[in-house]
Amino acid sequence: QVQLVESGGGLVQPGGSLRLSCAASGRIAGIADMGWYRQAPGKERELVAVITNGGSSNYADSVKGRFTISRDNAKNTVYLQMNNLKPEDTAVYYCNAKILPRSLMDWRSYWGQGTQVTVDS
C-alpha cells in the first residue's frame, strides 16, 4: 500500500515558522511532482507549492518569498518551510504526490491525511 504521512503542523504566533514534512511509503517505482495544498474553514482547497522530480518549484502568490518547498528523493519526502507566518495561513495542509506503484503500471495521485497549521497570537 502506498501512503503519504504528514507531520510538523501546530500552533504558532504571527511571524513564526513551521516546517512540514510528508513521506511517501510503500512499494514505489517512481514519484513525479510533489506538492502542498491547504484548506481553510469555509474555503476551497488551494495549491500552495509544487516541486518536480528535478527540483523546479512554483508557489501561490500569497506565499511567495515566505515559503520554500523542497524534496529528498532518496527519502521519498517533500518539505514545506513556512516563515513569517500570518493568520491567513491558518488551514489544514495536505501533501500530494503523483506516484507510480511497483504493483501498477499506471500513475495516480495520492494525498496525505492533512496536518493543522494555526497562526494566532
Side-chain angles (χ1 to χ4, degrees):
Q1 178 187 358
V2 173
Q3 62 178 3
L4 303 179
V5 179
E6 304 172 25
S7 62
L11 175 65
V12 66
Q13 294 183 344
S17 298
L18 285 173
R19 184 173 184 259
L20 306 183
S21 299
C22 175
S25 63
R27 297 181 61 81
I28 296 170
I31 303 179
D33 292 356
M34 305 184 81
W36 290 94
Y37 293 72
R38 67 186 182 187
Q39 188 166 20
K43 300 288 187 178
E44 64 184 16
R45 188 173 298 187
E46 65 174 350
L47 176 67
V48 177
V50 63
I51 185 168
T52 68
N53 181 269
S56 298
S57 59
N58 288 290
Y59 300 88
D61 288 342
S62 59
V63 307
K64 286 180 179 177
R66 300 187 297 120
F67 291 10
T68 302
I69 189 170
S70 61
R71 64 191 288 168
D72 185 337
N73 289 337
K75 297 180 179 179
N76 290 339
T77 300
V78 62
Y79 306 93
L80 186 67
Q81 178 66 46
M82 304 184 293
N83 297 327
N84 191 25
L85 283 160
K86 303 176 179 180
E88 51 263 44
D89 295 318
T90 295
V92 177
Y93 284 70
Y94 299 88
C95 66
N96 174 266
K98 185 179 181 182
I99 296 175
L100 178 64
R102 290 191 179 275
S103 60
L104 300 175
M105 294 306 296
D106 193 21
W107 296 81
R108 63 161 290 179
S109 181
Y110 292 84
W111 291 90
Q113 81 281 4
T115 184
Q116 177 70 47
V117 172
T118 302
V119 185
D120 188 17
S121 60

